[in-house]
Amino acid sequence: MNALAAAMQLLVAVAFVSIPVVRHRFGPAAKAAAVAELRRQNVRPEVLDENGLRFDAGGHETAAPAAVAAIMTAVAALNLAGADLARPLTWIFSSMVILMNLGIVYSNLTAVKSVEAAFRRKDDPELARVEVAPFLKAAENAFPGWVRAQTYVRNTTVFAGSAVALLAVTLG
């Protein structure tokens, strides 16, 4: 059962690593599409950089998923080694991963509202003029179609893999 938990944790790690990989590869195209949409809306594109808005894999977009992947890999190694700490750490971190991924899914589903709110908080009159839905849609459309499917596979892998890991250490 420890090997099953470890395998699931490694799948979760790979799923999290896929986030910055995809953003690194297609983020520049998403930014170019967002800039084009801002121009269409007669909003200065420089407003993105001035307010630290990114579409690439910089900053926390890489650090957070990489940290999750590293932690899940370490816990998987403990499970493979049969360490006593593997079980409680699996419970802690697999549960946290499920909760974090719920937050990611919620954020994706409410992106327009949350970006509108973030733009209002910035108190930048230029950002206030942005029509957020077409702005985000333009950026999203710059990613290849398979990225949407990859997102569903990633979320399924994270939820199911974490649940199976929890079940495996519980029954093991």
Side-chain angles (χ1 to χ4, degrees):
M1 288 300 211
N2 283 0
L4 176 60
M8 294 299 104
Q9 290 162 331
L10 291 173
L11 282 174
V12 169
V14 169
F16 268 89
V17 167
S18 74
I19 298 168
V21 168
V22 168
R23 287 182 66 109
H24 175 74
R25 172 66 179 88
F26 301 106
K31 181 176 182 179
V35 163
E37 176 58 26
L38 289 177
R39 286 190 175 118
R40 188 195 69 74
Q41 294 181 23
N42 293 316
V43 175
R44 290 181 315 103
E46 295 80 14
V47 75
L48 293 178
D49 292 332
E50 292 167 3
N51 286 282
L53 301 170
R54 309 173 63 141
F55 293 91
D56 63 6
H60 75 278
E61 290 89 357
T62 294
V68 170
I71 290 167
M72 295 313 290
T73 300
V75 177
L78 291 172
N79 268 306
L80 285 174
D84 291 338
L85 239 101
R87 186 178 198 187
L89 290 179
T90 295
W91 267 99
I92 292 166
F93 290 114
S94 290
S95 299
M96 286 175 62
V97 162
I98 289 170
L99 293 173
M100 286 186 315
N101 210 58
L102 282 170
I104 291 169
V105 169
Y106 178 78
S107 173
N108 290 341
L109 293 173
T110 61
V112 171
K113 285 184 179 184
S114 62
V115 170
E116 287 171 342
F119 282 9
R120 280 192 304 271
R121 282 192 306 274
K122 290 278 187 178
D123 200 31
D124 182 327
E126 195 82 13
L127 279 180
R129 296 185 321 115
V130 174
E131 295 172 43
V132 172
F135 168 74
L136 291 179
K137 190 67 172 163
E140 179 184 330
N141 287 342
F143 288 89
W146 62 261
V147 171
R148 182 177 295 281
Q150 183 260 355
T151 300
Y152 292 125
V153 169
R154 181 183 55 75
N155 286 326
T156 301
T157 300
V158 170
F159 288 129
S162 297
V164 169
L166 287 168
L167 187 61
V169 297
T170 300
L171 297 177

